[in-house]
Amino acid sequence: MKLFKMKNQLIVLLLFLGMINASAQISKAEIMATGLTCSMCSNAINKQLKAMPEVEKVNIDLNTNTFEVVFKKNAAITPLVLKNSIEKTGFFVGSMILTIEGNTVEPKDNGSFKNASGTYVFVTPKASASKGSLRLKILNNGFVTKKEFKQSSKLLSKYQGFGAQEGTYLVKTI
């Protein structure tokens, strides 16, 4: 009887933890694109992003070539899908910052959390604990400029095994 009660408590705990992970979702992405030379270039990316079914709206800052993409509630989107969408238009991602809502994870070095969009491994996080929303800058190759990736490659080398896995993103808190 005691073993049965412990099993039930464990199942309830696992279900609760699963709900926490499931509720943590990407609500917004700020993407700086590189290679744009005119407003037609930004228009191509804008159309591509707006065509995605998960996207609610896109705001553009032409001065910084930054696209703020707001997602529909409960939209399942991954950073890789966003990156591929930008690259489909012939341009590249120079920076990607994600806002993840409903997160209850405390960022710590080499700590990680998983949600529907992937696994996120913290690299030199800020010391403060996050409640509600978390802003993460993706540091993987292809999500930052080549210059920035080269500058941070020594730091990222200790996380090399993580960054090579599909759906795993090395991130720092902003």
Side-chain angles (χ1 to χ4, degrees):
M1 183 71 168
K2 194 173 189 178
L3 182 63
F4 180 73
K5 188 175 182 180
M6 285 178 49
K7 278 185 181 180
N8 283 341
Q9 289 174 342
L10 182 62
I11 290 171
V12 169
L13 178 65
L14 289 174
L15 286 173
F16 177 72
L17 291 174
M19 289 189 308
I20 290 173
N21 275 345
S23 67
Q25 70 171 29
I26 300 173
S27 63
K28 182 173 72 172
E30 298 165 44
I31 305 167
M32 185 191 74
T34 61
L36 283 76
T37 57
C38 65
S39 62
M40 293 305 291
C41 297
S42 62
N43 192 36
I45 294 174
N46 185 34
K47 284 182 179 179
Q48 182 71 27
L49 291 170
K50 283 185 174 179
M52 298 174 73
E54 301 89 355
V55 173
E56 186 173 306
K57 70 178 181 175
V58 178
N59 299 317
I60 306 170
D61 182 349
L62 293 174
N63 293 327
T64 60
N65 295 329
T66 302
F67 298 81
E68 180 186 73
V69 184
V70 179
F71 301 104
K72 294 176 182 171
K73 190 160 181 74
N74 298 322
I77 188 88
T78 67
L80 185 59
V81 168
L82 289 170
K83 176 182 171 285
N84 290 341
S85 183
I86 299 289
E87 290 177 349
K88 193 182 279 187
T89 62
F91 303 102
F92 299 97
V93 172
S95 171
M96 186 180 293
I97 298 172
L98 306 175
T99 301
I100 297 183
E101 299 293 338
N103 193 16
T104 58
V105 175
E106 182 177 339
K108 58 183 177 181
D109 192 29
N110 208 18
S112 66
F113 75 96
K114 186 175 186 169
N115 68 9
S117 64
T119 301
Y120 299 87
V121 179
F122 293 106
V123 176
T124 62
K126 292 182 181 174
S128 65
S130 64
K131 293 186 179 173
S133 67
L134 185 63
R135 288 177 37 95
L136 304 173
K137 180 173 183 174
I138 300 179
L139 303 174
N140 294 53
N141 192 16
F143 289 90
V144 293
T145 62
K146 289 180 181 182
K147 181 180 178 181
E148 185 177 353
F149 184 75
K150 187 176 181 180
Q151 288 174 342
S152 61
S153 62
K154 185 175 181 181
L155 169 71
L156 298 176
S157 64
K158 75 177 190 176
Y159 305 97
Q160 204 63 12
F162 290 112
Q165 298 172 11
E166 181 79 25
T168 300
Y169 304 99
L170 303 175
V171 297
K172 70 177 182 179
T173 55
I174 304 286

